[in-house]
Every structure is written in structure tokens, then in C-alpha cells.
Amino acid sequence: MKRIFALVVMIALLAGSAYGAPLPKLRVGYVPEPAHGLYFVAKEKGFFKDEGVDVDLYQFGSAAEGMAALKADKLDVGTFGTTAPLVFISKGSEFTFIGGMMIGGQAIITRPERLAELSGKDLKVYKGKKIGLVKLSTGDVIFKGALKRAGIDYKKDVNFVEFGSVAAVVEAVKKGAVDAGLVFPPHFSLAEKNHGLKVAHYIEEFYPDYTCCRIVAPTAQVKANPDTYRRFLAALIRAYRFYKTNPDETVKIYTRALKIDEDIIRNETYVKRVAESNPDPLRKGILDFWQHIRDAGYITQDYPIDQHINTALYKQALDSIVKREPKDKVYQQMLAFYKKNN
């Protein structure tokens, strides 16, 4: 009887230990853009913990700072554009793309008196113009890709002026030092609100569904802990559904997290829909972006980038969610989007 009692106690202790075991932790870096809001939804609504992962979020002022932190092993996940990860990978850093966070979102701003001159659906309006940008930003690379698609030799026909920050681009547009400037959210909304500038175009008008911020992680960690990253992506998939079906609460979550005016959040996220928060890896988009960055001369050597894109974890996560709710329209749309873009 004593042996049976001791065995029962031991099993109970082991069960209690397992139940109370800490969840695997991920340190996740991001930049303060509304389109990164899936992280805040997944955190606040408990999706990360529901899926079995503990996430700490860390904000960075630039992609370069964030990627340096990822390289220094201060992060387990980074969401810092598409350019910065590609540059780091091409220089030998072992990172892997496992998902996405932002599609689209880049805008071209100008002064009100120049708006009519730059309006219309033809990119030829930018021939001969002086365009301010942050070198190697998503807007820089993808706008040049759009110009090339339109048959414009941007190396000859457009004068690009490089600035050290997006704030400097806005200031140059305001002062008339450039004809227009390439900026990302929420800077074009802030430029409109605070400086009276206008959005001439969203690059999405010329280049639909282009890749912006991607989710990258150290390759060794992805290989060692695939289930942790799969759970992480499953939580983001659930957050995406919430973002698509609960706009009012989503806006409030984003506003609390980013400390940006609620009207700007709502306008960018739902009214004008200038960017899409979507966790899909967008493999084809990454490869297109890689070609554009090489065409621009920023990376001269070729590199097997496709070997650094893991779509399997996202697909496994999505399949697991679809299996739970097979009739959910949002998840079915995500499945169709995945098949088209990966």
C-alpha cells in the first residue's frame, strides 16, 4: 500500500512539474509601424500562450539596428524589412525567412502644389524628377523595380537623392529640395497631418502585393526548434484572422502599443488599407525583391537565396489551424494566398 501511495505521489509531482513548465521563449524584434500590429494582437489576445510559446517584444528604430541585434544573438526573431535580411544573408549571415508581417505600405509624398503634376497612373510622371529616399529601404528597391517594369531606365531618367532617415526625406520634400519622397507608414500620414504634404501615389498602385517586412530567424535555431517557430506562426495566423474580423478592437490594440493617433491607425489599416498585415512568407515576392536589389547594383554577387526561405513551417501552422476550423473563410483565403505566392 505504501508503494502504491508513493507511486501516486511521484506521478502527481511529475504531472505538476510538467504542467508548470515554462513555455519556450522567443525574443522578437520589430519596428514601430501599424502593419507590424499582428504581434500586439497575438500578445494581448493570448494567442502566443494558447499556442504554447512565450513572446517578448522589442522595438527598434531601424532595420539595421534590429538585424545587428539578431546577428548578436540578442533576438530569436526579427521583422526588419526585406532588404536588410537579404543583405545580411548575402554577406554570410545564417538567417532564414520563415514568415511575413507586412505587404505593401510604401508611399510617394509631395507638396500640394506638385500633386496635380504627379497624379495619374503612369510612372512616366517621375521621369526627370528628383526623388528623396532612404537607401536600401523597401521603397527604394521596390519603386525602382516598378519603374523597370514600366520600361523606365531609372538610372538615367530619375534623379534619386539619398538621405539618412525618413524624417530627413520628409523635411526635404517640405522644403522643396526634392520633387517627391519615398516614405513608409506612419510617416506619410504624419507628413500629411503635421506638414500639409500629400501622398501622390502608393507604390501598391504600380506593384501589387510586393513584399515588405519579413520574419527572419537564425537558421540554426529554426532547425533546432522547428515546433517553437511553428507555434509562433500559428499564433500570428490567428492574429491575422482577428485583425480581419475585429477592426475596432484591432485599432485600439495598435494604438495602445504604438502610441500613434487612433485616426492614423484606422486610416492606414482599414480605410485606405495602405498595407496588409499578413504572416505569409511570400516566397515569390522575396525572390522578386532579390532580383530588384541586384538590378539596382546594391548586391553584385549572385547567391542561393531560396535556400534561406522556409515555407514549410508556415504551411504546417496554417494547416493545423485550418484543421481546427475547416469552414472559416479567412483561413481558407490564407490557404489560397499561400498556394499562389509560395
Side-chain angles (χ1 to χ4, degrees):
M1 188 68 179
K2 289 182 178 180
R3 287 182 179 179
I4 294 174
F5 178 75
L7 181 61
V8 170
V9 171
M10 183 174 70
I11 292 172
L13 288 172
L14 288 172
S17 175
Y19 183 79
L23 297 175
K25 185 179 287 292
L26 289 177
R27 301 163 297 171
V28 178
Y30 69 95
V31 291
E33 297 183 12
H36 286 215
L38 295 187
Y39 287 142
F40 316 131
V41 171
K43 186 84 170 175
E44 185 162 325
K45 301 305 294 184
F47 297 150
F48 285 131
K49 289 192 175 180
D50 284 351
E51 296 300 327
V53 63
D54 185 13
V55 168
D56 288 335
L57 298 175
Y58 298 90
Q59 181 175 304
F60 289 83
S62 69
E65 291 176 10
M67 289 303 299
L70 192 66
K71 186 175 177 62
D73 197 31
K74 294 179 180 179
L75 293 173
D76 304 301
V77 176
T79 314
F80 305 115
T82 306
T83 305
L86 286 173
V87 170
F88 272 73
I89 289 169
S90 72
K91 293 182 178 180
S93 295
E94 287 296 323
F95 297 132
T96 296
F97 293 93
I98 62 170
M101 181 55 63
M102 179 177 174
I103 298 173
Q106 315 301 305
I108 307 169
I109 59 171
T110 190
R111 289 180 296 166
E113 63 268 25
R114 304 297 300 277
L115 191 59
E117 177 188 354
L118 298 178
S119 63
K121 297 184 178 180
D122 194 335
L123 277 169
K124 290 180 181 178
V125 297
Y126 292 103
K127 291 182 70 173
K129 299 298 188 293
K130 187 181 292 186
I131 310 294
L133 54 78
V134 176
K135 182 179 179 180
L136 287 170
S137 63
T138 297
D140 173 12
V141 175
I142 213 69
F143 183 60
K144 289 174 180 175
L147 289 168
K148 184 176 180 180
R149 280 186 170 190
I152 298 171
D153 186 348
Y154 60 80
K155 295 180 181 179
K156 293 181 179 179
D157 296 335
V158 182
N159 181 11
F160 290 108
V161 182
E162 297 173 359
F163 293 92
S165 69
V166 69
V169 173
V170 173
E171 188 66 18
V173 174
K174 188 175 72 169
K175 291 181 176 179
V178 294
D179 300 307
L182 286 161
V183 296
F184 51 84
H187 295 282
F188 48 79
S189 295
L190 293 171
E192 287 185 316
K193 182 176 182 178
N194 298 333
H195 305 296
L197 301 178
K198 298 294 182 180
V199 171
H201 290 104
Y202 297 104
I203 302 179
E204 187 86 8
E205 297 171 35
F206 308 111
Y207 201 127
D209 290 338
Y210 62 84
T211 172
C212 188
C213 296
R214 302 291 86 199
I215 299 175
V216 295
T219 303
Q221 290 190 39
V222 172
K223 290 180 177 178
N225 306 291
D227 191 58
T228 298
Y229 287 99
R230 181 190 62 76
R231 292 172 182 271
F232 169 74
L233 292 170
L236 293 180
I237 290 167
R238 292 177 62 191
Y240 177 82
R241 182 188 182 281
F242 187 92
Y243 143 82
K244 296 296 284 187
T245 57
N246 296 272
D248 290 339
E249 189 174 354
T250 297
V251 167
K252 293 186 183 303
I253 291 172
Y254 285 17
T255 302
R256 285 194 294 270
L258 293 171
K259 306 297 188 294
I260 297 173
D261 289 350
E262 187 173 317
D263 59 337
I264 288 179
I265 297 287
R266 180 174 287 103
N267 189 52
E268 290 191 1
T269 307
Y270 293 108
V271 179
K272 292 186 177 179
R273 298 179 185 177
V274 300
E276 167 88 344
S277 297
N278 193 315
D280 192 282
L282 220 69
R283 172 182 164 272
K284 291 180 181 179
I286 295 172
L287 296 178
D288 281 347
F289 200 100
W290 170 250
Q291 188 58 53
H292 293 321
I293 206 172
R294 291 198 65 220
D295 289 344
Y298 292 141
I299 297 175
T300 55
Q301 79 277 17
D302 200 1
Y303 194 86
I305 287 297
D306 210 5
Q307 295 179 14
H308 291 261
I309 305 173
N310 181 328
T311 62
L313 291 176
Y314 176 81
K315 182 60 163 52
Q316 291 165 12
L318 182 56
D319 285 345
S320 71
I321 299 295
V322 171
K323 188 175 181 179
R324 293 181 216 169
E325 300 183 59
K327 295 182 180 181
D328 187 275
K329 291 182 180 179
V330 175
Y331 295 143
Q332 288 298 328
Q333 290 167 358
M334 296 180 82
L335 192 60
F337 189 81
Y338 171 85
K339 291 175 181 178
K340 178 183 177 182
N341 290 283
N342 293 277

